[in-house]
Amino acid sequence: MDIKETQNAPVSSQSEVELSSRREFFKKSAALSVTAIAGTSLAATNALAEEKGDPNIVEEVPWGVKLGDPVTKNRYGKPSPYEHNVVRRNSQLLASGNWYASIAMCPIQDMYGIITPNGLFFNRDHGGVAHVDPNRYRLMIHGLVEKPIVLTLDQLKRYPSVSRIHFIECPANGGPEWRGPQFNSIQFAKGMMSCSEWTGVYIKDILKDLGLKPEAKWMLAEGSDNSEMGRTVPIDKVLDDAMLVYGQNGEALRPEQGYPVRLLLPGWEGNLCVKWVKRLEFSSEPFFAKEETAKYTCLKPSGKAIQHFYPLEVNSIITSPCPEKPWTDLKDGEWVEIEGLAWSGQGTIEGVDISFDGGKNWQEASLKGLVLPKAWTRFSFMHKYKKGERLLLSSRAYDDAGRIQPTVKHERSVMGVESVYHRNAIATWEVTAEGKVNNVQVIS
Ligand SMILES: Nc1nc2c(c(=O)[nH]1)N[C@H]1C(S)=C(S)[C@@H](COP(=O)(O)O)O[C@H]1N2
Ligand SMILES: [Mo]
């Protein structure tokens, strides 16, 4: 067969020359490893592998000597079976006694960049995942508008579309840990969030068509699932950047995210982003005043509660290392990249600081890739690992709204520990002398 012959063909003299000079380079950089930076210390490891005759280089690998799958095999592609551990996970501790009114956490320790693959987007439902027939999908927009309307999916898609990258976070993310760490896991401690590119229509654009009456101050959004999830949104947010989205990372929304249409309120509490949305009603009074809908409140030590607090605060977490991604394999003196995610529902991330001593001293990390408003922002810091050293590793993000993450002590002094929602205090990992990583809280 042609393919096999080509693969077994002898290498040309040209590539032999290239190979040997590469080997020379690896040897040289191994010798120079005293002054190693990340790249050259990796090169030193490579030179060793070549000298010892790594079988994965010198021997034939099974997938190289036979034909692969035909292109007709995977009509919808799946990750490599070797990635089978990268999945959403659920915990009895976070379930309301069943797996329908429940939550599955995103494996943020395994994400690259700032986009969550659709199959890994965190999933929170109050009555299970609804499976909506798009042909029978209807969206009613009524109340204080001149021209009330019922739209089919096709009609909704006829409005001019926009694509925006935004995170969605449940305000209860990190909520079980007000009194102290509960999960030695980043996925369970911080995985109630994900970030996608969303495609849909600005509600303000639809309202230009329908004519919003000036008395309209609130918008009720209702889902067509059995929980309905009625939520009321102030009109300013609706007219700012609220969207009805049907696209997620280049394809239709997944059923778990509200197929075929969900409400997206960039940067605001995830629970307001009503999925499988069937109705928007505009009114002069907030609907929760009539006890038709619920909202989350934050109980303060004074016994008073913050009633209206919709945007999510500036926040960050180090994703590598973390309890799932320890430093146990690192050698003394090796360079390692500390990475993490920062986000703010109130604006754009301006910077992130890293501390190795639980917040006494701080150094500035760099932001990498896209830095967008109300979106995950990836940060990075190169660190020379010292074997046997115990670290208290923290990150502290600040945004262009002038907000910075509080210390745990400061957050507790203002909010106490009785609240569930909106925890954004500085998070800390303990890196032990052996390189294991533990979820801890620095209270002082
Ligand atoms: N219709 C409907 N919308 C809903 C919910 C629901 O149960 N039903 N859950 C809400 C909550 S509490 C959150 S945090 C987000 C979760 O969105 P996701 O499942 O796409 O991550 O959806 C919100 N919208
Ligand atoms: Mo939520």
Side-chain angles (χ1 to χ4, degrees):
M1 237 179 289
D2 274 342
I3 295 175
K4 206 171 173 184
E5 272 167 25
T6 322
Q7 277 176 342
N8 289 340
V11 282
S12 73
S13 54
Q14 170 68 31
S15 47
E16 264 166 22
V17 172
E18 269 173 22
L19 211 68
S20 62
S21 60
R22 245 181 75 218
R23 213 169 267 149
E24 280 305 304
F25 169 74
F26 285 146
K27 277 189 191 142
K28 271 189 207 142
S29 43
L32 287 172
S33 67
V34 210
T35 54
I37 55 160
T40 50
S41 66
L42 270 184
T45 318
N46 272 352
L48 268 178
E50 289 196 14
E51 272 161 28
K52 286 187 179 163
D54 182 343
N56 297 300
I57 301 169
V58 298
E59 284 168 23
E60 273 176 343
V61 286
W63 54 87
V65 293
K66 61 173 173 48
L67 284 173
D69 292 339
V71 291
T72 45
K73 191 181 171 190
N74 290 304
R75 291 295 181 194
Y76 194 99
K78 289 197 193 78
S80 158
Y82 294 98
E83 300 295 317
H84 64 91
N85 271 325
V86 184
V87 288
R88 293 190 280 238
R89 289 176 198 279
N90 23 265
S91 158
Q92 289 284 359
L93 256 180
L94 298 168
S96 0
N98 66 63
W99 297 125
Y100 298 92
S102 195
I103 185 152
M105 320 285 284
C106 177
I108 53 175
Q109 70 277 9
D110 294 303
M111 307 274 105
Y112 305 109
I114 58 165
I115 299 290
T116 308
N118 291 346
L120 297 174
F121 203 96
F122 88 104
N123 182 209
R124 169 76 171 112
D125 313 307
H126 291 71
V129 175
H131 292 275
V132 177
D133 175 350
N135 301 304
R136 298 187 57 194
Y137 176 79
R138 298 291 182 273
L139 174 66
M140 183 189 288
I141 306 178
H142 65 139
L144 295 174
V145 287
E146 302 292 347
K147 287 179 280 178
I149 199 169
V150 176
L151 293 170
T152 64
L153 185 56
D154 283 346
Q155 287 167 332
L156 176 69
K157 286 181 179 172
R158 246 172 267 155
Y159 284 98
S161 70
V162 284
S163 295
R164 308 272 306 168
I165 296 175
H166 291 300
F167 70 85
I168 293 184
E169 182 184 25
C170 176
N173 198 13
E177 302 201 321
W178 279 94
R179 292 157 193 271
Q182 295 292 324
F183 304 101
N184 214 23
S185 148
I186 191 177
Q187 188 167 359
F188 287 115
K190 286 282 181 182
M192 279 190 215
M193 60 165 179
S194 294
C195 186
S196 289
E197 186 201 62
W198 306 99
T199 298
V201 184
Y202 277 127
I203 299 180
K204 61 185 170 197
D205 287 344
I206 303 178
L207 288 174
K208 276 182 212 150
D209 201 20
L210 305 189
L212 185 69
K213 294 187 179 168
E215 318 88 86
K217 293 283 173 282
W218 298 88
M219 179 186 81
L220 169 78
E222 223 170 51
S224 67
D225 57 324
N226 70 72
S227 81
E228 284 193 331
M229 202 69 197
R231 285 292 185 271
T232 313
V233 185
I235 201 72
D236 291 353
K237 180 67 175 173
V238 177
L239 297 178
D240 178 13
D241 58 359
M243 292 171 76
L244 289 164
V245 296
Y246 44 78
Q248 181 184 4
N249 296 333
E251 62 178 2
L253 288 187
R254 289 289 172 90
E256 295 94 316
Q257 269 61 63
Y259 178 87
V261 184
R262 96 180 289 168
L263 176 65
L264 178 70
L265 303 173
W268 281 27
E269 295 178 335
N271 70 93
L272 302 166
C273 299
V274 175
K275 304 190 278 189
W276 312 289
V277 60
K278 70 172 177 195
R279 191 164 80 88
L280 302 177
E281 183 181 343
F282 292 87
S283 75
S284 56
E285 296 297 319
F287 288 82
F288 46 73
K290 294 187 258 161
E291 290 182 11
E292 277 175 17
T293 66
K295 66 181 163 53
Y296 294 167
T297 56
C298 287
L299 186 61
K300 302 225 289 181
S302 61
K304 293 198 169 172
I306 303 177
Q307 280 207 61
H308 301 281
F309 208 117
Y310 305 117
L312 292 154
E313 295 78 2
V314 63
N315 214 334
S316 72
I317 188 77
I318 292 173
T319 55
S320 180
C322 68
E324 287 95 329
K325 302 269 177 211
W327 277 350
T328 38
D329 290 339
L330 282 189
K331 296 181 192 73
D332 187 49
E334 266 189 307
W335 283 92
V336 62
E337 186 174 20
I338 296 170
E339 275 195 77
L341 292 167
W343 64 100
S344 168
Q346 292 168 312
T348 307
I349 294 297
E350 279 208 323
V352 179
D353 301 325
I354 303 278
S355 173
F356 294 87
D357 55 14
K360 289 192 200 93
N361 299 286
W362 295 96
Q363 281 167 274
E364 201 179 341
S366 53
L367 304 183
K368 59 178 194 179
L370 293 172
V371 180
L372 299 169
K374 305 169 190 177
W376 274 0
T377 303
R378 191 160 279 270
F379 61 86
S380 159
F381 189 95
M382 290 308 297
H383 171 64
K384 195 171 181 185
Y385 182 64
K386 216 164 143 194
K387 195 88 194 170
E389 194 176 47
R390 179 179 177 265
L391 303 171
L392 288 172
L393 201 54
S394 319
S395 63
R396 177 181 70 180
Y398 44 99
D399 65 16
D400 66 355
R403 310 284 173 136
I404 187 163
Q405 281 183 261
T407 60
V408 173
K409 189 179 176 187
H410 183 88
E411 186 175 57
R412 285 191 182 184
S413 73
V414 178
M415 294 303 300
V417 292
E418 297 298 327
S419 196
V420 176
Y421 305 111
H422 292 270
R423 253 195 85 231
N424 73 319
I426 293 164
T428 303
W429 303 129
E430 176 203 24
V431 182
T432 70
E434 297 77 40
K436 290 192 183 125
V437 180
N438 294 315
N439 183 6
V440 297
Q441 275 182 18
V442 176
I443 318 247
S444 58

